[in-house]
Amino acid sequence: MREIKFRAWDKDNNLMLYDIQAKQGYLFRDFLNNPRFVVMQYTGLKDKAGTEIYEGDKLVNPVDNRIFEVRWVKVRFLLFHPPYTRMDKFAASSC
């Protein structure tokens, strides 16, 4: 079972806040209901360097250098290729 974690981009301070579901003095809904923050969920996966992959991250295919964006769609995370209007059928994977 994957770990449930969230991070948030603070637009006002240009700062990424990690593990916001456990921040002291804050309620998780304070991040969700505030337009100042962009909340992203952890996919449960890590890249080859061991960095956690979150919703909204951009990933590069090392074979052809195509860029994909990680998105949450219905019940799974998928990879989308620009212009981000269709799913790349061989690159999409659920997590």
Side-chain angles (χ1 to χ4, degrees), residues 6-7 21 24 27 29 39 49 57-58 62 67 69 73 86 93:
F6 294 87
R7 69 181 185 187
Q21 73 283 352
Q24 284 288 64
L27 295 175
R29 71 172 181 242
V39 176
D57 283 352
K58 305 285 191 293
I67 298 172
E69 181 180 343
V73 179
R86 67 172 179 83
S93 62

Side-chain angles (χ1 to χ4, degrees), residues 50-92:
T51 304
E52 295 174 338
I53 299 172
Y54 283 81
E55 173 184 13
D57 283 352
K58 305 285 191 293
L59 305 176
V60 177
N61 181 338
V63 175
D64 57 11
N65 290 323
R66 287 190 300 165
I67 298 172
F68 293 88
E69 181 180 343
V70 179
R71 288 190 181 176
W72 178 256
V73 179
K74 296 189 181 184
V75 297
R76 63 183 176 230
F77 288 99
L78 299 173
L79 299 176
F80 284 82
H81 181 61
Y84 306 125
T85 55
R86 67 172 179 83
M87 182 176 56
D88 188 293
K89 62 183 176 185
F90 71 86

Side-chain angles (χ1 to χ4, degrees), residues 3-45:
E3 200 174 356
I4 305 297
K5 295 180 2 176
F6 294 87
R7 69 181 185 187
W9 177 251
D10 182 341
K11 295 182 208 175
D12 291 352
N13 295 308
N14 291 325
L15 178 70
M16 189 66 75
L17 304 170
Y18 289 88
D19 296 324
I20 61 170
Q21 73 283 352
K23 285 281 185 210
Q24 284 288 64
Y26 290 94
L27 295 175
F28 184 61
R29 71 172 181 242
D30 294 338
F31 290 97
L32 294 175
N33 297 328
N34 190 332
R36 172 181 161 188
F37 299 107
V38 177
V39 176
M40 296 162 261
Q41 186 175 1
Y42 176 48
T43 64
L45 302 174

